[in-house]
Amino acid sequence: MYKSIKAQNTDFIGRFFIATARSVFYASVSVVLCAVHLLLPIERGFPTIRIFGLPFTVTILATVAVFFLLLVESRGTILWKVPKRYLPVQIVFVWLMVASALFSPTIRSAFFVVLSYSTVFILSFLVVRYLFQRNFRTAFVYILSMTAGLAALIGLVEGLAGTPLSFYTSIYLSYAPDGMAYGLTRSDYRVFGTLGNPIVYAAAMILAIPFALELRPFLLRYAIVIMLLGAATLAVSTTAFLMASVVLIGYLVISRVRWTTVLFLLVILGVFVWLLIPILTQRFGEGAVMRIVSGDPQNVLAREDMLNLAWTDFTTDQTIASVLFGKGVKSTTVDEYASALNRTVGTIDNTYATLLIETGVVGLIAYLAMAFSILYPLRRFAFLSMHWYGVLSLFAAGVAFTTVYYSTFNFVWVASVATLVYLETRRTPSSFIT
């Protein structure tokens, strides 16, 4: 009898230490992934690591390392039962990008984009989905929300001081001394945040809101949401305003527009008027709010010119192959788009026009099919989860921003997709209504 009780106690202690070690391991990899994607300006000068002469970003290396660690820890089960929604269509789109990269005028840059895209949209999805399956979702939500809150706090400090922290300033200047120095000294200075670009940073802040709304302490929940919205506002991005509008609509739909919701929104509006509007007016003039809502007139005109140039590019000097499969990944960043608009870097600033030219009609259809494979089959979550609107907001942002080139904020988006897939698998979405 004594031996039996002792054996049971020993077995319990062993299971306890194993579970604790596993939780610490999951927390560690979650912190690493959230930190490298939300706190480092990967696309704006953070040093790359060269392996065999080829550049690799920290996000790529960290994601691949975490994936293989979890592959070993899970004994391969991280690859089991691949969800039929999202991932198969996403893999097809990646292979179309690979085919398109072979025809790119800058083939090395093209394959770097493919590698970056596939790492965050496929490997990160498998990693996050596995963590959720291991009952680590609640902890992951807190880790991601707190990391995004820290990124927002840094942006708010930057907005009040009018310049980034010295760590970020040195990185930006090493990335593009002339351009970044000009951006840092402009009278209408826009917050670059932790990611080095107002649009990229603001998009990350908006995408983190559905996760922050899941936090249980009421004060912590809305404190982080206000910080995220405030940081995004100081970035003065119309793209972020568009994304925030989609998220707000989702909040109204899910909350059924109760009086408490109206009161909460009035409080948020009051905080913005009291804290942010004077700062924006001082830096951007009386039209600061309208600039956020409708965009800088010069930028709007530039985007229209780029779309016209893109359409001309697509409808002239084309072959059947280029119409179907495009002119190659990164072909829209050539000098043609830069010189035509007197810009140092030529980009269309539109996901769908970019894909049409770079990956052709087939690539664009595959991308739209990927969007459809998430939103339509999971449409019931439009009444249950804010993450459905977080996913939708990025597709909406594609009309004003080339979202497929970046790996940082897309990690948060992938986590929302993994959430929807997880909820669908559990068939108990009510426990995650936000």
Side-chain angles (χ1 to χ4, degrees):
M1 179 72 176
Y2 173 75
K3 291 182 179 180
S4 176
I5 295 175
K6 185 177 180 180
Q8 290 177 0
N9 290 338
T10 303
D11 186 53
F12 171 78
I13 294 173
R15 290 198 305 269
F16 173 78
F17 277 109
I18 291 174
T20 301
R22 181 178 290 116
S23 297
V24 171
F25 174 59
Y26 291 164
S28 299
V29 298
S30 298
V31 168
V32 168
L33 289 177
C34 291
V36 298
H37 286 93
L38 292 175
L39 297 178
L40 298 179
I42 299 300
E43 277 100 13
R44 286 298 183 273
F46 193 82
T48 58
I49 300 173
R50 291 191 172 272
I51 301 177
F52 300 113
L54 300 176
F56 292 87
T57 63
V58 176
T59 52
I60 293 176
L61 295 177
T63 303
V64 172
V66 167
F67 173 76
F68 278 105
L69 285 174
L70 291 178
L71 183 66
V72 174
E73 187 267 343
S74 69
R75 298 178 182 178
T77 59
I78 191 175
L79 298 174
W80 288 7
K81 296 181 180 179
V82 175
K84 296 180 181 179
R85 298 192 179 103
Y86 170 72
L87 197 56
V89 184
Q90 188 70 269
I91 292 174
V92 170
F93 177 69
V94 168
W95 276 111
L96 288 172
M97 290 183 70
V98 170
S100 176
L102 294 173
F103 301 97
S104 174
T106 55
I107 190 168
R108 177 176 292 188
S109 297
F111 273 100
F112 176 81
V113 170
V114 175
L115 176 63
S116 178
Y117 183 94
S118 57
T119 298
V120 69
F121 284 95
I122 295 179
L123 294 189
S124 290
F125 173 81
L126 291 172
V127 166
V128 176
R129 183 188 67 127
Y130 176 74
L131 292 176
F132 291 175
Q133 290 175 329
R134 301 295 289 174
N135 297 320
F136 196 75
R137 186 177 184 280
T138 299
F140 180 87
V141 168
Y142 275 83
I143 291 171
L144 190 150
S145 299
M146 298 305 292
T147 305
L150 176 59
L153 178 61
I154 293 173
L156 291 173
V157 171
E158 175 189 347
L160 295 174
T163 183
L165 302 179
S166 58
F167 167 76
Y168 292 101
T169 301
S170 61
I171 294 177
Y172 302 158
L173 292 177
S174 65
Y175 164 70
D178 295 334
M180 297 306 290
Y182 170 70
L184 292 172
T185 56
R186 288 179 56 171
S187 59
D188 57 346
Y189 174 72
R190 301 169 62 187
V191 165
F192 293 158
T194 55
L195 304 182
N197 180 287
I199 304 178
V200 173
Y201 173 68
M205 298 297 96
I206 299 301
L207 289 171
I209 290 177
F211 291 95
L213 285 172
E214 291 192 45
L215 302 180
R216 288 302 178 188
F218 177 87
L219 293 178
L220 177 63
R221 179 194 313 165
Y222 290 115
I224 292 183
V225 169
I226 290 173
M227 290 169 60
L228 293 171
L229 288 172
T233 302
L234 289 175
V236 192
S237 169
T238 306
T239 302
F241 175 79
L242 176 61
M243 297 176 69
S245 299
V246 174
V247 172
L248 175 60
I249 292 172
Y251 188 83
L252 294 175
V253 170
I254 292 173
S255 61
R256 308 299 194 271
V257 198
R258 295 189 294 262
W259 69 269
T260 53
T261 301
V262 176
L263 179 61
F264 168 72
L265 294 177
L266 289 176
V267 171
I268 292 290
L269 180 61
V271 170
F272 269 65
V273 171
W274 185 55
L275 292 178
L276 298 177
I277 299 303
I279 298 175
L280 293 173
T281 301
Q282 180 182 0
R283 291 190 178 162
F284 297 96
E286 295 297 330
V289 177
M290 288 306 301
R291 177 172 176 177
I292 295 175
V293 175
S294 60
D296 187 325
Q298 293 182 347
N299 288 338
V300 173
L301 181 61
R303 279 179 165 82
E304 292 176 354
D305 290 341
M306 282 186 284
L307 286 176
N308 291 331
L309 183 60
W311 181 248
T312 301
D313 190 13
F314 179 73
T315 55
T316 58
D317 298 327
Q318 289 275 54
T319 64
I320 295 179
S322 62
V323 169
L324 293 178
F325 302 104
K327 296 184 176 181
V329 175
K330 297 290 282 187
S331 61
T332 59
T333 61
V334 295
D335 293 338
E336 176 185 357
Y337 287 89
S339 59
L341 300 167
N342 295 319
R343 290 156 55 98
T344 55
V345 177
T347 57
I348 299 177
D349 283 345
N350 184 294
T351 298
Y352 307 101
T354 298
L355 292 177
L356 180 62
I357 293 177
E358 293 188 352
T359 63
V361 174
V362 175
L364 177 59
I365 291 175
Y367 183 80
L368 294 175
M370 184 267 293
F372 181 85
S373 70
I374 303 171
L375 296 173
Y376 184 75
L378 300 175
R379 59 192 180 279
R380 67 190 182 93
F381 288 104
F383 302 96
L384 298 171
S385 175
M386 286 292 295
H387 292 282
W388 194 88
Y389 293 92
V391 172
L392 176 63
S393 70
L394 190 68
F395 292 121
V399 301
F401 183 51
T402 307
T403 58
V404 294
Y405 281 165
Y406 303 95
S407 62
T408 46
F409 64 85
N410 279 322
F411 172 76
V412 186
W413 182 85
V414 166
S416 281
V417 175
T419 293
L420 294 176
V421 173
Y422 175 72
L423 298 183
E424 176 70 5
T425 303
R426 281 176 54 100
R427 301 285 183 179
T428 54
S430 58
S431 61
F432 289 99
I433 294 177
T434 58

